[in-house]
């Protein structure tokens, strides 16, 4: 994917009306410190377009990034951060649910999991919840550069087992440092979700 134009087009808070976009939407979910902003910046070939916060749980909105006037990358609020009140978490959950149910252009959901650790209770809940909404999330195993190459397959197996992934679920190891996995993610988006949309 050659990024010709890039625009943070819409920011939706808890009370905002969701946009009615004409182009396909690809959403990214993950817990607060999993590296979601770093991934989105890497995909967009920008160092700091998606804000990377030193405070996990800072993203409290759904952010729609318009790529080349033909695709939206959608950054969902991070989940599972302890310092956020239960009431606030519930509101974010309702916001995400409203989006997953309400968007007519949402083609795929990517769920980010830290490759260094077994999936947390929050990760398992989020995975099950996305599946219940009718999606088969693609897993991005982040922070690949922080483990030895010999550990990669073992950790991917732990993610598959920990989340009890549906058969055939794609798991893409990714590093925002080395950009490994970036081309694979874009290839999947372009072949599976953009071309299909154009054929309709």
């Amino acid at each position: 994917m050659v990024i010709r134009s890039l625009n943070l087009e819409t920011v939706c808070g808890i009370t905002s009306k969701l946009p009615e976009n004409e182009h396909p939407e690809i959403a990214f979910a993950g817990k607060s410190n999993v590296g979601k902003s770093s991934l989105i910046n890497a995909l967009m070939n920008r160092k700091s377009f998606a804000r990377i916060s030193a405070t996990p749980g800072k993203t409290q909105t759904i952010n729609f990034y318009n790529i080349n006037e033909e695709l939206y990358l959608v950054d969902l609020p991070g989940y599972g951060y302890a310092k956020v009140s239960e009431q606030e978490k519930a509101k974010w959950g309702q916001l995400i649910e409203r989006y997953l149910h309400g968007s007519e252009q949402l083609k795929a959901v990517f769920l980010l999991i830290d490759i260094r650790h077994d999936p947390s209770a929050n990760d398992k809940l989020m995975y099950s919840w996305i599946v219940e909404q009718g999606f088969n999330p693609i897993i991005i195993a982040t922070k690949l550069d922080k483990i030895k190459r010999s550990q990669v397959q073992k950790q991917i197996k732990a993610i598959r087992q920990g989340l009890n992934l549906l058969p055939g679920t794609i798991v893409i190891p990714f590093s925002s440092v080395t950009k490994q996995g970036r081309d694979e993610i874009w290839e999947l988006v372009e072949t599976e979700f953009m071309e299909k949309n154009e054929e309709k």
Side-chain angles (χ1 to χ4, degrees):
M1 169 68 78
V2 177
I3 310 291
R4 296 184 301 278
S5 67
L6 172 61
N7 179 31
L8 174 55
E9 188 172 287
T10 312
V11 176
C12 279
I14 289 161
T15 59
S16 305
K17 184 178 182 293
L18 291 168
E20 295 176 6
N21 292 322
E22 295 181 357
H23 302 303
E25 297 169 3
I26 308 296
F28 295 86
K31 64 185 176 189
S32 302
N33 56 352
V34 77
K36 196 151 44 66
S37 296
S38 298
L39 166 72
I40 290 171
N41 282 326
L43 289 174
M44 298 189 298
N45 261 348
R46 300 293 190 276
K47 281 189 176 173
S48 57
F49 201 88
R51 288 188 297 264
I52 299 169
S53 173
T55 309
K58 202 76 173 171
T59 305
Q60 301 176 19
T61 53
I62 300 180
N63 299 331
F64 292 80
Y65 296 94
N66 185 330
I67 310 287
N68 297 342
E69 298 295 329
E70 59 184 5
L71 172 76
Y72 289 93
L73 298 187
V74 182
D75 185 7
L76 300 176
Y79 59 84
Y81 187 56
K83 286 188 181 178
V84 176
S85 72
E86 291 303 319
Q87 190 178 5
E88 199 69 20
K89 286 179 190 173
K91 286 181 181 176
W92 293 357
Q94 289 163 9
L95 176 63
I96 295 170
E97 186 170 12
R98 187 157 60 92
Y99 171 65
L100 293 180
H101 273 308
S103 171
E104 293 186 7
Q105 290 293 350
L106 180 58
K107 305 301 176 188
V109 180
F110 286 83
L111 177 60
L112 281 62
I113 305 289
D114 190 329
I115 199 169
R116 298 172 298 175
H117 310 297
D118 289 353
S120 67
N122 279 318
D123 290 330
K124 293 173 186 178
L125 276 173
M126 192 68 183
Y127 175 74
S128 301
W129 191 54
I130 294 169
V131 171
E132 283 168 13
Q133 308 303 315
F135 295 93
N136 182 7
I138 298 141
I139 307 301
I140 300 179
T142 62
K143 305 185 189 279
L144 177 63
D145 52 283
K146 296 188 182 296
I147 65 170
K148 294 177 181 174
R149 190 173 292 181
S150 59
Q151 296 176 299
V152 173
Q153 291 309 314
K154 172 175 165 281
Q155 292 305 112
I156 288 175
K157 185 178 179 182
I159 289 172
R160 285 191 180 280
Q161 291 177 342
L163 294 177
N164 194 20
L165 293 183
L166 294 167
T169 298
I170 297 168
V171 180
I172 302 174
F174 174 79
S175 165
S176 61
V177 175
T178 67
K179 305 297 186 287
Q180 184 174 333
R182 179 187 184 274
D183 291 348
E184 199 175 341
I185 293 166
W186 269 128
E187 186 178 342
L188 189 64
V189 168
E190 289 180 283
T191 58
E192 291 296 318
F193 308 119
M194 289 179 70
E195 289 175 11
K196 283 181 182 175
N197 189 71
E198 288 162 11
E199 287 165 7
K200 288 180 183 174

